[in-house]
Structure formats: structure tokens, C-alpha cells
Amino acid sequence: MDFVLGVNYWPRKKAMFWWKEFDEKEVREEFSVIKELNLDVVRIFLLWEDFQPEIDKIEKKSLKHLGKVLNIANELDLKLIPTFFIGHMSGINWLPEWLLEDKPHERFLTYSNGKVVDKRARDIYEDKEILKAEELLLDTITSEFSDSSQIYAWDISNEIDNVRIPRTPEVAKRWLKFVYETIKSNDSRPVTFGIHQEDIDRNKNFRVQDVAPYNDFLCMHAYSVYTDFTDPLDPYFVPFACILTKALGKKEVLMEEFGMPTTQGETRKIKSATGKDILEHYLINEEEAAKWLEETLKYLYEFGTIGALYWNFADYHESLWDKPPFDKAIHERFFGLLRSDGSLKPTAFVLKDFKNKIKELKRREVYINVPPDYYEKPKENLIKLYSEFLKRIR
């Protein structure tokens, strides 16, 4: 596939609780919608607690459910990106009890064993007991599904520096090498790693050039609606984040997450949680979001990314709004291509039609010169490089 189009997936009525409340019929119906939208790839998340409820035990029921998801993907000719060590998701950390220590996290609360607690993860990068548990999870899943033709790639994790920041860049590299090689010992399919906007606008020790050797292709998660130096409807920032990632890491880049929360009314700001903080977040008018998506996809294609996975499949059903994280992270309810009632938003039709428009577009190489000391002042360098990029490209 020259340009991969896809979506990040949680079920509309189950969200992060789908492995506990698994419904094969629901997954088949929603994957059918994804197929009807002309999408190729679905990124899914292996919630750590559900797949490894005890430090030395892999949950067989969850493995069986994952097998069913792969079978459904096979029936519909969809590819999957299963993501390990979830971990961080939608403003909260989802972790098994055995992974917790009695110290508060500086930014995020944790959901564990049915309740929200103010505890952080043990050292997932250096604790030998934890590393042994991680190896068990990786070995079990990759060996179980190594012959599945539906796996597009394995994703090491999702924004895991929001769970815990590694002590040093060297620790981060060593951990990535361990995970990458463990996966590759069982399966030859590509491996990538879900890094995000914070990994290019600050130094959380997962520096892109250090991450790159343990990725077969790089990923980036970027949201113009979350920037504080550009317009939320700026169609250039998301593609630029990929260009910068490629310049730092010297490998091809998939835009693995991008999108925006929408409303059928006028664009407005609301109070909503990001971790422990209550901040102002945009809800963008659906039609404006669709126009932004059309332009953003165009530039993602033209500027050479290998594909784009939208965040997220659906707005979450009202029955989930009193559960974490949606009880406080209001904006997280509304990132979908579908509304909470299952109807399609204008953004869904933009994605559906994009493959027909690709033939009218031309790829072009866009280079930027990144200073060797980029991570000495990452935010300052990011803004400077972006300003220079806009002058050249407009």
C-alpha cells in the first residue's frame, strides 16, 4: 500500500472496558463500518491489566478474544496494529495492581482493578522483575499470533513516557532494544513505537534519534488542537510533526494518531481534564473539522508520510460518560468519526473519499535541517523550525 489509511479503535459502547466485556458481534459490526469507510488498518490496544492480571500470568480469555479480533479483520481484509503496555490512554494510566507503587504520579491518575488511584508505576524500564513480566507478555502474544497475516505491525506502546519517564536516554534505548529484540525473536513483522508530540516539544528521554534504531518505521502522534503556538485548525502542523520526526530519526514516518474533538454546534472551549489538571479544550465544529482533515490528509500525503491513522473510531456512548476518564476528560468523549449514536460525522466521509483524491496529488520531498543539539531546547527549536517551514511551503 502506497499510503495507509486507518483508525485507532475502541468500541463505541465499551471504550477501554472492551476486553472485560468482549462482544464479538459488536466488533464485527464496527469493523464492517471501518471497512465501508475504505480504511486499511486498525490500531488496537492490549490493555495491560486485561492481558496480564498477575505478574506471572497471561489471561487466556483475552488471548482468545484477540484471536477473534484477528479473525474478524481477516474476514474483512483489514490489517491490525496491536499495541502493548497500555498503559497511558486518554488522560489516565491503566495499569495492573502488581505494577503499582505507593507514590503519586506527577501528572496522571491511574485506573486499576476497577477504581481510580493516585499511584504511579514501578520502574518499567529497569526493574528486573518487571522486565521479566514484560518479556512474558511479549513472548506469549507474539508467538501465539506469529502466523497471523492480518498484523500490519506490532506497536511497542502508546506514549509510555506518560506512564513513567525513563531515568536517562540510555535507559530508554536499552529498554527499547530489549522489547524490539524480544518481539523480533518470535515474529518478523515490522515493529514501531507510539511516540507523541511531547517527544518533540520537550525531552522525556525518548529522543527520536535514539528511538529510531528499534523501529522499522517511526510513528508520531500530533494534534494541532493541543498546540499553544498555532491555530487549532492549522492543517500544516500535523504533517510538519512527521517531517520533523523523519529528519530526527532518518526513517519513514506513519502519522499514527491525529484528530480533534468535535461538536455539531459552534466551535467553543470547555473545561476538561488533562490528567490531574482542569484546562480549557476546544470542541471544533464538525464541518470545520472536516475541512481541516481534508487539507491535513492532503499535506500528509504530499509531504511523504507512509500513512495516517485517525483518532478515534467513535465518540463514546453516553452510558460511559460517568466512567473514567470521560467523567472528567469531557473533550475525550468527542474525537470520533462516528457520533455517540453511531451516525457518521463529516470527517468520516472525508476519510472515505480520500483514496479517490490521491490520484490527483503528487508526492514531494520536504527536508528540514535539524540542529544536532535539538533536544537542548526542543520547544524553542520546534517553533523556530515550524516558522521557517511555513515560510517555505506557503
Side-chain angles (χ1 to χ4, degrees), residues 176-188:
L176 284 168
K177 182 176 187 290
F178 152 71
V179 176
Y180 180 85
E181 290 179 350
T182 302
I183 294 171
K184 287 292 190 178
S185 69
N186 294 313
D187 195 327
S188 61

Side-chain angles (χ1 to χ4, degrees), residues 182-211:
T182 302
I183 294 171
K184 287 292 190 178
S185 69
N186 294 313
D187 195 327
S188 61
R189 257 77 64 87
V191 174
T192 190
F193 177 47
I195 57 172
H196 59 135
Q197 200 162 318
E198 290 189 359
D199 294 313
I200 55 174
D201 74 16
R202 65 201 76 175
N203 184 6
K204 298 176 79 176
N205 289 332
F206 281 114
R207 301 177 303 195
V208 177
Q209 62 267 35
D210 296 339
V211 167

Side-chain angles (χ1 to χ4, degrees), residues 240-258:
F240 171 79
C242 289
I243 294 168
L244 176 58
T245 301
K246 184 176 181 179
L248 286 164
K250 311 296 190 220
K251 285 190 175 177
E252 297 299 319
V253 180
L254 171 70
M255 175 43 69
E256 193 179 43
E257 275 190 34
F258 73 116

Side-chain angles (χ1 to χ4, degrees), residues 209-226:
Q209 62 267 35
D210 296 339
V211 167
Y214 312 109
N215 282 242
D216 295 308
F217 60 85
L218 290 163
C219 284
M220 174 48 54
H221 306 170
Y223 294 83
S224 58
V225 76
Y226 287 160

Side-chain angles (χ1 to χ4, degrees), residues 203 207 209 371-381:
N203 184 6
R207 301 177 303 195
Q209 62 267 35
D373 61 349
Y374 177 87
Y375 280 100
E376 293 297 316
K377 296 180 179 179
K379 183 69 173 287
E380 183 179 312
N381 283 321

